[in-house]
């Protein structure tokens, strides 16, 4: 499956599509994945436009990427998880489907092939 031609996360951010929101602030939104791969599977998404893949990381926006890690810690607290896994698919060749940077926050029961 290739990358979607539209940003479904934008629809969630704008409340045009429903989502089970776990955490939200002015800059990020975190919501449960509709096809979970673990007992806890939350997507952490920056709200601002322009970041399609991690290849769009530059010195002037690196704080956005750091914020993803801070939100992951908040999600862990909300979900009462001591440990967790973060996964990011980068670009279509890396398995990315939605054209917006995001983390997959997964509980430790997720079995990674690593």
């Amino acid at each position: 499956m290739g990358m979607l031609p539209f940003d479904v996360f934008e629809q969630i951010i704008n409340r045009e599509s429903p989502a089970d929101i776990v955490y939200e602030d002015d800059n990020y939104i975190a919501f449960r994945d509709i096809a979970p791969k673990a007992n806890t599977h939350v997507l952490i998404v920056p709200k601002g436009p322009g970041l399609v893949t991690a290849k769009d990381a530059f010195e002037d926006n690196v704080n956005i990427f750091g914020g993803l890690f801070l939100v992951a810690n908040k999600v862990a607290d909300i979900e009462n998880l001591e440990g967790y896994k973060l996964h990011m698919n980068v670009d279509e060749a890396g398995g990315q489907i939605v054209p917006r940077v995001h983390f997959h926050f997964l509980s430790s029961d997720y079995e990674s092939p690593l």
Side-chain angles (χ1 to χ4, degrees):
M1 176 182 226
M3 206 171 310
L4 295 173
F6 61 93
D7 180 359
V8 66
F9 296 162
E10 183 74 21
Q11 294 173 344
I12 292 170
I13 291 165
N14 292 332
R15 302 301 197 269
E16 297 165 357
S17 292
D20 182 1
I21 297 171
V22 175
Y23 173 83
E24 184 173 19
D25 63 24
D26 291 341
N27 300 306
Y28 300 90
I29 188 168
F31 51 90
R32 297 193 192 287
D33 195 296
I34 61 170
K37 306 293 187 241
N39 288 331
T40 301
H41 186 169
V42 174
L43 302 174
I44 302 172
V45 181
K47 289 182 175 180
L51 294 176
V52 175
T53 77
K55 292 178 180 180
D56 296 321
F58 298 100
E59 288 183 24
D60 64 338
N61 64 12
V62 70
N63 61 324
I64 295 170
F65 289 88
L68 290 168
F69 287 98
L70 296 175
V71 173
N73 287 335
K74 292 177 183 184
V75 170
D77 288 343
I78 292 166
E79 296 293 313
N80 293 315
L81 295 174
E82 281 189 39
Y84 56 88
K85 299 175 184 183
L86 293 174
H87 183 95
M88 179 184 281
N89 297 319
V90 179
D91 214 347
E92 191 170 339
Q96 184 177 353
I97 297 171
V98 178
R100 181 184 288 256
V101 165
H102 59 284
F103 270 160
H104 292 261
F105 175 102
L106 301 139
S107 51
S108 59
D109 61 296
Y110 173 71
E111 296 196 20
S112 171
L114 293 178

